[in-house]
Amino acid sequence: MSSWVFPPLPTVAVPVAGSDAAFPVRRVFCVGRNYAAHAREMGRDPDREAPFFFTKPADAVIPDGSAVPYPPETANFQYEIELVVAIGKGGTDIPEERALDHVFGYAVGNDLTRRDLQLEARDKGRPWDWGKAFDHSAVIGPIRPASDIGHPDKGRIWLAVNDAVKQDQDIADLIWSVPEIIAILSRSMAIKPGDLIYTGTPAGVGPIKPGDRVTGGVDGIGTHTLTITERGAA
């Protein structure tokens, strides 16, 4: 290939805590309804539902501290705090007992959602893309390498809006654990270095509006902060 028809867009990357290095993002996978209480608040039975996935484009990823404009075509913009897994080693059909070997590190994320569009699509049996995969919808804090913190399987996960706590649970309450998620996902497609997996949100999701300051974190991993600006603001 001698030339591009236009310059390639820059690679989306996430800072690595304690390092000058950055983690290049390939794909973003998200697990739906992976805490029982949240599944119930969304009108589903977690005891009978196998895990399922949806995706976001890599360029939906935005860093900690971002100002997020209220997105178009929604009147119900919502937060979802999540533990994020950063994949550093690829594979397919990965055994559950070897799944953590493929993890580079962990971060705190927020799966921002146009809830009205998501629920409309769900009720009509359509894909969730318009409710989930829009611009600025995958907030993420710095990645903490597993070589530094190990593989957390318990610890508080929380989110606050204007300092009022809205979500407060423990990652030990995940219906499908991180090793199970990686093993199940890798049966359907190859995971590769640069993939991010948003593992699901606890109960307590709700709306945010321009002017709101959203904070959240996972014990032992980190925190994130974002502010919501007016629709269409840069």
Side-chain angles (χ1 to χ4, degrees):
M1 183 180 298
S2 59
S3 64
W4 303 105
V5 297
F6 54 82
L9 295 174
T11 298
V12 176
V14 180
V16 175
S19 171
D20 292 333
F23 180 92
V25 178
R26 174 180 175 263
R27 288 182 176 178
V28 181
F29 298 99
C30 304
V31 185
R33 295 192 292 263
N34 202 22
Y35 288 84
H38 174 60
R40 293 188 183 102
E41 76 178 350
M42 297 301 290
R44 293 295 186 264
D45 183 350
D47 299 323
R48 296 183 180 179
E49 190 167 57
F52 67 95
F53 300 87
F54 57 93
T55 62
K56 293 176 182 269
D59 64 3
V61 172
I62 57 171
D64 174 45
S66 292
V68 178
Y70 198 96
E73 298 193 326
T74 184
N76 191 5
F77 185 36
Q78 297 199 358
Y79 55 80
E80 293 190 6
I81 190 72
E82 310 210 2
L83 167 69
V84 182
V85 180
I87 298 296
K89 176 184 174 184
T92 56
D93 292 315
I94 298 168
E96 185 181 324
E97 62 271 17
R98 300 300 303 273
L100 295 181
D101 296 344
H102 295 259
V103 176
F104 171 77
Y106 299 88
V108 178
N110 205 318
D111 168 21
L112 298 176
T113 301
R114 297 192 286 196
R115 187 74 68 201
D116 42 2
L117 302 188
Q118 180 204 10
L119 296 181
E120 179 184 9
R122 186 192 73 179
D123 293 344
K124 292 180 178 179
R126 295 175 178 173
W128 287 9
D129 298 58
W130 252 229
K132 288 287 192 178
F134 53 96
D135 294 340
H136 316 295
S137 63
V139 183
I140 189 169
I143 296 171
R144 297 285 305 279
S147 58
D148 293 342
I149 65 171
H151 297 282
D153 58 6
K154 60 183 177 181
R156 184 187 182 214
I157 180 170
W158 62 275
L159 179 139
V161 179
N162 302 322
D163 297 322
V165 175
K166 302 294 186 179
Q167 294 181 279
D168 197 347
Q169 207 164 336
D170 196 294
I171 60 172
D173 296 329
L174 284 164
I175 296 172
W176 299 93
S177 69
V178 170
E180 290 172 324
I181 291 166
I182 293 171
I184 293 167
L185 179 59
S186 74
R187 294 173 198 159
S188 290
M189 62 187 71
I191 61 169
K192 294 185 179 181
D195 288 342
L196 297 174
I197 305 174
Y198 283 60
T199 59
T201 196
V205 299
I208 40 181
K209 63 184 185 305
D212 283 345
R213 179 175 179 269
V214 181
T215 54
V218 179
D219 284 356
I221 296 174
T223 61
H224 80 28
T225 301
L226 62 123
T227 55
I228 309 304
T229 59
E230 295 293 337
R231 195 189 301 268

